[in-house]
Amino acid sequence: MFLTLTTTGTPDRPATDLGFLLHKHPDKAQAFSTSFGTAHVLYPEAEEQRCTAALLLEVDAVALVRRGKGKGRGGAPDAALAQYVNDRPYAASSLLAVALSNVFSSAMRGVCKSRPERAAEPLPLRVQIPALPARGGPDLVRRLFEPLGWTVTVEPVPLDTDFPEWGDSRYVRLELESAANTLAETLRHLYVLLPVLDDAKHYWVAPDEVDKLLRAGEGWLPGHPEQKLITSRYLSRRWSLTREAMDRLELLRLAETDDSDVEEIDNAVAAEAEQEEKPTPLAVQRREAILTALRDGAAARVLDLGCGEGHLVRELLKEPRFTEVVGVDVSVRALTIASRRLKLDRMGERQAARVQLFQGSLAYTDKRLGGYDAAVLSEVIEHLDLPRLPALEYSVFGSARPRTVVVTTPNVEYNVRWETLPAGHVRHRDHRFEWTREEFRTWAGAVAERYGYAVEFRPVGPDDPDVGPPTQLALFTLTTTTAATTTASSTEKEAKAA
């Protein structure tokens, strides 16, 4: 997948200023990791009179398929072969649009401290894309770009040059030329119109796509003659999102016509009306889900196993119902930070009597962990190598045996919803694995059966209908006072051996 940006210059205003505007030095070839492969930026030519910047996107088709199960990233389910053999690595699409946004984010905003005057003024620019899917053909390409001041040269790509009677494919070679647009405007035109021409997106279109469209379309989309088609296709024909975007674009058009602010026209709601709250961070939602599970289990004495820097311990101490809170972690440094965060050295005597922090490894049985109502393993198990997991299972479920155990771990299926997470990567570099919902339920069910617990599963965060929640929670409740002796004994031997 390939795109070039070319400009010309003079001794007073050299073309190599393009490097400052793009924030990419012409003497360097740079590579950037994306959620679907690697984006390379290089300059085939960089002279005073003429400078060309090229964006080459190498798509990891296998990783794209692995992350794109269902209706999320990678598209809808398809025949097994078609998931791998397709045009994604070669034809400009939403993949290239996202790469433009990620690699040239400052340029897209028109930010350039070194050459602010150049960033604000139109440049003589030529854009070349050798392979662009155009559902609507060359005519639609012209209808989209010509109203924006571009001179459009578009050439259909034949299905097969040896068989001209087969006709043209849905791909075109595109060249745009203009001296009327700034670099930022050019990048925003491409960011919106490339996926519109492809009429498909490689990721799930969420409500925040409306904001992205309006930001990128500022100054040109409200008055575009193909505004409705652009909006509908960009939002993957989702009717509710398209209607919202069209309503907001109409307000912008009216405000521009009346030379007034949008707020003056959109005055149906009082200015003092409560504004929409920002989304609650996932870490906060996770802690609240854990607290709810502990309240449901009527726990009073709680272990936070793998407590890290003490975020959950601090929340537990805010509720008097938790009369004793113990934080355990293998990292002495993490415990030091937790102690400082909790201000243990300045804590009142009564409060200090409720909390303990001590160093310990969950891979070994520890008599200090016995006798508690509940234990929490929040985002812990994925940091262990899988062969070490049976040791943790016995240490917590077989030896300590609290009445309630709460386990949370990432749902790897949800990773497709994070556009900035590189394909095939886990959420944290220290994660040894991340499980699907089925894998987590299988593991939790086996542990519950082995040690005499019942298990309930709860979503944490938005429960996506296709890929589930970002975090999965298992709530274990002890059902038998003693585990099966044979099973526990054999498991203990396996754990010690591990």
Side-chain angles (χ1 to χ4, degrees):
M1 200 179 295
F2 193 65
L3 176 149
T4 60
L5 288 164
T6 302
T7 188
T8 56
T10 64
D12 294 335
R13 306 176 80 78
T16 48
D17 281 352
L18 183 63
F20 289 99
L21 300 179
L22 291 174
H23 298 264
K24 302 293 181 287
H25 199 289
D27 291 341
K28 297 179 180 178
Q30 296 175 268
F32 303 87
S33 179
T34 73
S35 55
F36 36 77
T38 304
H40 302 270
V41 177
L42 60 151
Y43 288 77
E45 55 182 346
E47 302 294 337
E48 190 178 82
Q49 295 78 20
R50 182 182 170 96
C51 183
T52 298
L55 177 64
L56 172 65
L57 182 60
E58 289 185 297
V59 176
D60 186 341
V62 174
L64 195 63
V65 171
R66 287 174 177 169
R67 302 196 62 202
K69 296 177 181 178
K71 297 180 181 179
R73 191 187 308 274
D78 204 345
L81 183 60
Q83 293 185 66
Y84 296 94
V85 183
N86 52 52
D87 66 353
R88 284 304 186 217
Y90 315 106
S93 64
S94 61
L95 294 167
L96 185 59
V98 170
L100 279 169
S101 176
N102 290 347
V103 175
F104 300 133
S105 57
S106 296
M108 190 174 288
R109 297 195 307 272
V111 176
C112 182
K113 294 181 180 179
S114 302
R115 300 288 190 276
E117 73 288 347
R118 295 283 271 164
E121 66 184 17
L123 296 176
L125 286 168
R126 175 183 292 174
V127 180
Q128 292 177 299
I129 303 174
L132 172 66
R135 297 181 189 272
D139 177 63
L140 179 60
V141 178
R142 296 188 185 95
R143 283 160 45 201
L144 294 182
F145 283 102
E146 286 181 348
L148 301 175
W150 292 101
T151 299
V152 180
T153 303
V154 57
E155 178 185 349
V157 176
L159 280 171
D160 194 314
T161 54
D162 292 335
F163 300 93
E165 65 273 15
W166 289 0
D168 295 328
S169 68
R170 67 183 184 94
Y171 303 97
V172 298
R173 297 185 184 92
L174 177 63
E175 183 177 301
L176 305 171
E177 286 193 84
S178 174
N181 293 302
T182 66
L183 178 62
E185 289 169 340
T186 299
L187 294 174
R188 291 199 296 266
H189 295 165
L190 295 170
Y191 175 77
V192 173
L193 297 181
L194 292 184
V196 166
L197 284 166
D198 189 20
D199 200 13
K201 281 202 169 182
H202 69 281
Y203 58 88
W204 177 257
V205 175
D208 64 347
E209 290 293 302
V210 175
D211 294 326
K212 293 181 184 178
L213 173 62
L214 296 184
R215 282 197 301 269
E218 182 179 358
W220 63 270
L221 184 56
H224 199 291
E226 298 293 340
Q227 177 199 105
K228 186 173 181 180
L229 180 143
I230 292 170
T231 303
S232 176
R233 284 195 176 193
Y234 183 88
L235 297 171
S236 296
R237 305 179 190 274
R238 292 189 61 184
W239 177 81
S240 60
L241 298 183
T242 301
R243 184 179 64 176
E244 178 189 345
M246 293 297 293
D247 289 345
R248 291 170 63 179
L249 285 167
E250 179 62 15
L251 283 174
L252 290 171
R253 188 190 66 79
L254 291 173
E256 184 176 343
T257 301
D258 293 345
D259 194 22
S260 58
D261 294 330
V262 172
E263 290 76 11
E264 295 178 22
I265 298 176
D266 188 19
N267 56 6
V269 180
E272 63 272 14
E274 183 177 341
Q275 295 183 353
E276 184 178 350
E277 296 182 0
K278 293 182 179 180
T280 304
L282 180 58
V284 175
Q285 296 183 61
R286 186 185 302 121
R287 287 194 289 271
E288 184 54 43
I290 292 169
L291 291 171
T292 299
L294 294 174
R295 295 183 198 113
D296 292 345
R301 303 176 67 237
V302 180
L303 295 166
D304 183 8
L305 304 177
C307 66
E309 298 177 4
H311 296 284
L312 179 60
V313 172
R314 182 174 59 184
E315 296 302 313
L316 290 166
L317 290 175
K318 291 179 181 179
E319 299 195 23
R321 73 172 72 227
F322 302 118
T323 58
E324 185 178 352
V325 180
V326 176
V328 182
D329 203 283
V330 72
S331 169
V332 174
R333 181 176 180 275
L335 292 172
T336 300
I337 296 173
S339 177
R340 187 163 57 244
R341 186 184 299 278
L342 296 169
K343 301 177 181 177
L344 291 183
D345 57 337
R346 288 178 282 169
M347 191 176 284
E349 184 176 345
R350 179 176 297 181
Q351 186 79 330
R354 294 175 58 207
V355 60
Q356 295 182 65
L357 298 176
F358 60 76
Q359 194 270 344
S361 171
L362 301 180
Y364 303 95
T365 58
D366 191 332
K367 292 181 179 180
R368 295 175 296 178
L369 305 183
Y372 287 86
D373 299 327
V376 178
L377 291 161
S378 178
E379 310 300 284
V380 170
I381 60 173
E382 64 273 10
H383 291 272
L384 273 69
D385 292 316
L386 283 171
R388 302 289 290 172
L389 204 51
L392 176 143
E393 295 166 8
Y394 179 77
S395 174
V396 176
F397 295 91
S399 177
R401 293 190 65 73
R403 188 173 69 247
T404 299
V405 180
V406 182
V407 179
T408 72
T409 192
N411 168 23
V412 71
E413 295 169 81
Y414 193 89
N415 288 359
V416 300
R417 297 294 184 253
W418 274 299
E419 186 177 310
T420 56
L421 185 65
H425 286 222
V426 292
R427 297 184 199 175
H428 190 280
R429 62 179 179 273
D430 190 50
H431 286 187
R432 302 301 196 267
F433 61 88
E434 286 178 359
W435 277 335
T436 64
R437 288 168 289 173
E438 181 180 355
E439 289 169 332
F440 181 56
R441 287 170 180 260
T442 299
W443 171 82
V447 170
E449 182 178 2
R450 186 178 306 124
Y451 293 104
Y453 283 78
V455 62
E456 171 191 349
F457 299 96
R458 300 180 180 182
V460 179
D463 196 357
D464 189 288
D466 296 309
V467 297
T471 297
Q472 41 195 343
L473 182 151
L475 175 59
F476 296 83
T477 305
L478 190 64
T479 57
T480 58
T481 55
T482 58
T485 306
T486 304
T487 302
S489 176
S490 61
T491 305
E492 181 179 10
K493 291 178 181 178
E494 294 173 5
K496 289 180 179 179

